[in-house]
Amino acid sequence: MTTSAKSKSKASSTPAAEILFGPKPAPGEKLLPRYTKQVRILHWVTAVTWAILFITGLFLFVPVFGGAAQGGVSTLLHHFAAIIVCLWAVYFFLRAPKASINGMLFALKWGKDDIGWAKAALGYYFFGKEDKMPPQDHMNTGQKLWWLIVLGCGALMVITGALMMLLKGVIPQGAFMWAATFHAIGMVALFAMALVHVYLSVFHPKMRGIFWSMVNGMVSAHYAEGHHKKWYDEMMHHQKETKGKK
């Protein structure tokens, strides 16, 4: 069989999902647990509801799409998705308060490795230069930024959205317009970061395949060592201690 024929055969045998989202870990490859089932459910509930909120938000807030909002269906979907994502976030917090608080505190904890990440990020993500990227923990600096923007803008969206949904006609028109303005600003910020998040977790050459960690909760040890070296070393140390106690 020629090289081109082999390539075509390999391409045709690759599942469509892996062509789009990247390869799954190879059979027998060492895996490390990264995301719990509850975290994965929260992620996908958030992803689906955010998609609905972004689309219906365009219909409601951008005049050129105003025709699609006629009839009230967009408003109904927008409110429904907003309520679902808020309730699920509260449910997750009540179910795992310690993990939730630790995650928020970790996102606020910055040090020299975060400064090093910021300096090395451009070369690392755009030119593949790995030598200046300091070892990262379970949550790298970019993910900390993502958390902070989600928490900050998320709070802004909840407050301004609640004002518009529950107090329309009650609060002064000027206050309503300010709420709508800040709601739109929050939407733009979250939408921009969501695009970056999707690109890095699905399409970026260095991250290809990491998508599946939000399906099965596992990442390859090779990926963990390359992208989250501090966390990888902690996991290896923990596994050695666990084996030593048996």
Side-chain angles (χ1 to χ4, degrees):
M1 184 180 291
T2 64
T3 303
S4 59
K6 287 180 180 179
S7 300
K8 289 180 180 179
S9 176
K10 183 178 180 180
S12 63
S13 63
T14 303
E18 292 191 39
I19 293 174
L20 178 60
F21 299 115
K24 295 180 181 179
E29 187 174 1
K30 184 174 182 178
L31 302 176
L32 297 176
R34 184 162 174 83
Y35 299 114
T36 65
K37 182 179 179 181
Q38 288 301 321
V39 168
R40 300 196 308 272
I41 293 173
L42 174 66
H43 176 274
W44 291 115
V45 169
T46 302
V48 172
T49 51
W50 275 27
I52 295 171
L53 288 168
F54 285 142
I55 294 169
T56 55
L58 283 175
F59 295 162
L60 295 170
F61 282 88
V62 182
V64 71
F65 297 113
Q70 293 180 0
V73 176
S74 294
T75 301
L76 182 64
L77 284 173
H78 197 81
H79 291 172
F80 177 75
I83 291 169
I84 292 296
V85 72
C86 289
L87 288 178
W88 205 279
V90 171
Y91 167 75
F92 178 85
F93 181 86
L94 295 176
R95 187 179 176 90
K98 185 177 180 180
S100 301
I101 293 172
N102 286 342
M104 288 185 278
L105 291 176
F106 194 86
L108 293 168
K109 183 181 177 182
W110 288 59
K112 63 178 183 179
D113 286 340
D114 298 298
I115 296 173
W117 181 95
K119 291 179 178 179
L122 185 65
Y124 181 79
Y125 289 103
F126 287 92
F127 303 103
K129 297 179 179 179
E130 301 181 2
D131 55 314
K132 294 184 180 180
M133 177 59 72
Q136 296 292 301
D137 215 315
H138 184 278
M139 188 189 300
N140 67 29
T141 308
Q143 290 166 324
K144 290 180 182 180
L145 284 170
W146 171 237
W147 263 65
L148 293 177
I149 290 172
V150 168
L151 291 171
C153 290
L156 177 66
M157 300 295 279
V158 169
I159 294 168
T160 55
L163 287 173
M164 291 188 292
M165 183 170 69
L166 302 175
L167 298 178
K168 184 178 182 180
V170 177
I171 59 176
Q173 182 66 18
F176 184 90
M177 293 306 298
W178 274 112
T181 299
F182 281 109
H183 201 74
I185 291 171
M187 182 187 77
V188 170
L190 286 175
F191 183 68
M193 285 302 296
L195 289 179
V196 173
H197 178 70
V198 170
Y199 169 70
L200 289 177
S201 45
V202 177
F203 301 110
H204 194 282
K206 280 186 170 292
M207 315 295 170
R208 288 285 286 169
I210 192 59
F211 168 88
W212 300 107
S213 66
M214 270 300 168
V215 176
N216 57 30
M218 310 293 286
V219 294
S220 70
H222 175 74
Y223 175 88
E225 185 176 17
H227 296 274
H228 302 273
K229 186 64 165 62
K230 280 187 177 180
W231 174 67
Y232 170 82
D233 289 342
E234 288 176 7
M235 292 292 289
M236 293 299 100
H237 179 70
H238 176 71
Q239 287 184 3
K240 287 180 181 179
E241 282 191 335
T242 303
K243 287 180 180 179
K245 292 177 181 179
K246 290 182 179 179

